[in-house]
């Protein structure tokens, strides 16, 4: 399944916004443009898997996509921080 250029651009913009917001909320600051995009896109996958499993509807539209990606990005950053702490103690 190939993404057309418009869909790819939307994924990148959603990832950038969600990753940037997650970095601000988690008090870690941003991760640079590429890092924010990666965190946001991975967060979108996490949020897309998590929302239906806990009984939440995935909001439609661009803003809904950002919300889902943002929640997933927050979860990803929490897991990464916990993994970093546990590795430091070993």
């Amino acid at each position: 399944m190939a993404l057309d250029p418009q869909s790819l651009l939307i994924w990148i913009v959603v990832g950038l916004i969600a990753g940037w917001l997650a970095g601000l909320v988690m008090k870690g600051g941003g991760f640079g443009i590429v890092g924010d995009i990666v965190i946001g896109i991975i967060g979108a996958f996490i949020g897309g898997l998590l929302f239906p499993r806990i009984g939440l509807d995935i909001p439609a539209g661009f803003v809904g996509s950002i919300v889902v990606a943002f929640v997933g990005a927050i979860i990803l950053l929490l897991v990464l921080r916990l993994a970093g702490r546990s590795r430091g103690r070993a």
Side-chain angles (χ1 to χ4, degrees), residues 67-86:
V67 169
V68 171
F70 169 71
V71 170
I74 292 288
I75 292 168
L76 174 62
L77 291 176
L78 283 171
V79 169
L80 290 174
R81 285 194 179 166
L82 290 173
R85 286 183 186 164
S86 65

Side-chain angles (χ1 to χ4, degrees), residues 15-51:
L16 176 61
I17 293 169
W20 175 73
L21 288 172
L24 291 177
V25 168
M26 295 298 292
K27 305 276 194 243
F31 300 96
I33 290 177
V34 173
D36 285 346
I37 290 170
V38 170
I39 293 289
I41 289 174
I42 294 171
F45 283 110
I46 293 170
L49 292 172
L50 183 66
F51 268 55

